[in-house]
């Protein structure tokens, strides 16, 4: 197979690349025609306070089961939806679904929701997100929007405006997958962020790899300096947790505590924890 480059040259690409491209096209085509409300759902991953082991919030994660393709992971379909612009519609549906669930959680539990670069690319898109929240009646201060480094670096000025709009609305903003992109510390300093999510790739073998340890250590120092909350993602083992605890990490997320949960299991978890708190309050009286 041959592909024309911008300069008019020809590049040959191999069978594996051709296969990737045709899969991309297939997913894109099916996604454009998909019934989002029927085929997509959310799971909720607990975000945990290390000191108490309690769930303080959930990150909503998209799941898609297509009648023709079967299960497609968000790692695959979100970038494709982003590429085609379909993401704007998907975000609106998923956010409404997440808010409908979050309404049933105890008042102190927050919702963390992922936004794509496209979602914050124009003020109109941001206003649409705000109107979905307003229609739900859910308190915007209990929402935390996760934005990746890539979204910020693509168009910094616009990203900054969008983040300001959402902050003004009352919501928090996390910089997601921190450390994997190209955002300079300079960028981080200039944005009104609330939290930094340190990517799980730095946590793997943090107990045995000095390089990962040093990176996490310096990001934590930066967060402390800037008054930002740090959340460490992808905590899978007791050993990792113990190193992170010693470093002063207060909030984590990962398979060690919980896999992403179905909506009803998420409800059960926070209701049970709230019940426990109430019982302790009563017995203390
Ligand atoms: P993310 O926002 O960084 O989400 C965390 C991902 O790490 C999730 O994968 C989660 O299941 C996984 N994870 C959590 N704990 C662990 C752990 O201990 N070990 C390992 N190995 N993985 C862990 P998931 O659900 O496949 O999502 C992948 C990415 O897709 C997300 O990364 C996010 O960028 C994107 N995504 C998911 N849902 C949405 C959505 O509703 N909207 C947008 N725009 N993006 C989404
Ligand atoms: Mg995220
Ligand atoms: Mg992340
Ligand atoms: Mg990630």
């Amino acid at each position: 197979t041959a592909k024309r480059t911008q300069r008019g040259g020809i590049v040959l690409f191999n069978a594996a690349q051709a296969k990737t491209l045709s899969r991309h096209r297939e997913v894109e085509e099916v996604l454009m025609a998909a019934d989002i409300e029927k085929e997509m759902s959310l799971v909720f991953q607990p975000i945990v306070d290390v000191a108490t082991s309690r769930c303080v919030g959930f990150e909503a994660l998209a799941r898609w089961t297509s009648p023709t393709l079967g299960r497609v992971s968000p790692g695959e379909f979100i970038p494709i939806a982003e590429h085609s612009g379909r993401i704007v519609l998907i975000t609106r549906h998923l956010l409404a679904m997440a808010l409908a669930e979050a309404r049933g959680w105890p008042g102190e539990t927050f919702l963390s929701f992922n936004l794509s670069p496209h979602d914050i690319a124009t003020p109109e898109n941001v206003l649409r997100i705000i109107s979905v929240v307003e229609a739900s009646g859910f308190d915007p201060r209990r929402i935390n929007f996760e934005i990746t480094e890539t979204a910020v670096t693509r168009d910094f000025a616009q990203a900054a405006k969008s983040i300001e709009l959402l902050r003004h609305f009352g919501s928090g903003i996390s910089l997601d997958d921190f450390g994997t992109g190209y955002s300079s510390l300079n960028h981080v300093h200039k944005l009104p962020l609330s939290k930094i999510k340190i990517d799980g790739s730095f946590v793997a073998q943090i107990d045995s790899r000095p390089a990962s340890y040093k990176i996490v250590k310096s990001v934590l120092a930066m967060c402390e300096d800037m008054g930002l909350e740090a959340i460490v993602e992808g905590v899978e083992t007791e050993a990792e947790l113990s190193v992170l605890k010693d470093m002063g990490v207060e909030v984590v997320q990962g398979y060690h505590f919980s896999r992403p949960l179905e909506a009803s299991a998420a409800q059960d978890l926070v209701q049970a924890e709230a019940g426990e708190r109430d019982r302790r309050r009563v017995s203390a009286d």
Side-chain angles (χ1 to χ4, degrees):
T1 342
K3 186 185 157 200
R4 223 161 262 285
T5 66
Q6 277 175 345
R7 285 184 190 156
I10 301 278
V11 252
L12 294 173
F13 58 97
N14 61 34
Q17 286 170 312
K19 205 173 156 198
T20 307
L21 184 65
S22 80
R23 167 72 180 177
H24 181 115
R25 288 200 179 124
E26 185 186 21
V27 172
E28 182 159 12
E29 205 172 289
V30 176
L31 188 60
M32 290 309 279
D35 180 338
I36 295 165
E37 265 168 285
K38 249 203 219 137
E39 299 172 24
M40 288 196 187
S41 60
L42 290 166
V43 287
F44 297 88
Q45 183 167 41
I47 296 171
V48 176
D49 175 60
V50 173
T52 60
S53 292
R54 275 173 208 293
C55 172
V56 291
F58 291 100
E59 177 176 3
L61 295 162
R63 295 292 176 262
W64 178 30
T65 307
S66 151
T68 48
L69 300 173
R71 278 191 196 191
V72 185
S73 78
E76 182 176 19
F77 79 78
I78 294 283
I80 293 174
E82 171 72 24
H83 179 82
S84 65
R86 183 85 167 156
I87 190 72
V88 175
L89 191 71
I90 293 175
T91 295
R92 251 185 284 164
H93 282 294
L94 291 178
L95 181 57
M97 283 159 64
L99 291 165
E101 235 4 89
R103 287 178 71 132
W105 301 341
E108 59 273 21
T109 312
F110 73 87
L111 167 70
S112 214
F113 188 88
N114 293 287
L115 295 179
S116 289
H118 215 96
D119 294 320
I120 59 160
T122 65
E124 290 73 35
N125 287 359
V126 177
L127 290 173
R128 241 181 250 143
I129 288 166
I130 287 176
S131 70
V132 172
V133 178
E134 282 177 332
S136 77
F138 192 77
D139 183 350
R141 288 169 301 184
R142 289 174 62 196
I143 307 173
N144 190 73
F145 288 105
E146 299 192 6
I147 292 171
T148 59
E149 285 189 85
T150 326
V152 169
T153 39
R154 194 179 288 181
D155 181 351
F156 182 78
Q158 185 49 53
K161 268 188 222 153
S162 299
I163 291 171
E164 249 149 52
L165 259 176
L166 291 166
R167 288 305 306 266
H168 187 73
F169 182 50
S171 299
I173 302 286
S174 298
L175 198 55
D176 200 2
D177 299 348
F178 190 76
T180 61
Y182 300 95
S183 66
S184 66
L185 293 183
N186 191 32
H187 276 170
V188 176
H189 274 280
K190 284 185 190 148
L191 294 168
L193 300 169
S194 340
K195 309 181 191 192
I196 298 272
K197 292 189 84 169
I198 301 176
D199 195 69
S201 57
F202 298 106
V203 178
Q205 293 135 28
I206 195 172
D207 42 337
S208 59
R209 272 181 43 200
S212 304
Y213 184 91
K214 279 183 195 155
I215 290 169
V216 174
K217 187 112 195 154
S218 60
V219 176
L220 288 173
M222 176 197 82
C223 289
E224 168 117 47
D225 227 45
M226 295 172 58
L228 296 173
E229 185 183 305
I231 299 183
V232 178
E233 291 190 274
V235 179
E236 293 186 355
T237 68
E238 183 64 47
E240 290 163 0
L241 179 66
S242 141
V243 174
L244 292 166
K245 256 189 192 168
D246 289 343
M247 295 169 97
V249 171
E250 291 172 352
V251 186
V252 297
Q253 188 179 342
Y255 297 165
H256 175 64
F257 285 97
S258 176
R259 299 243 163 194
L261 302 171
E262 296 292 327
S264 62
Q267 291 285 358
D268 291 347
L269 174 69
V270 275
Q271 296 305 344
E273 288 186 357
E276 231 176 87
R277 267 195 301 276
D278 289 344
R279 276 193 299 283
R280 268 204 315 278
R281 233 171 261 148
V282 170
S283 58
D285 284 345

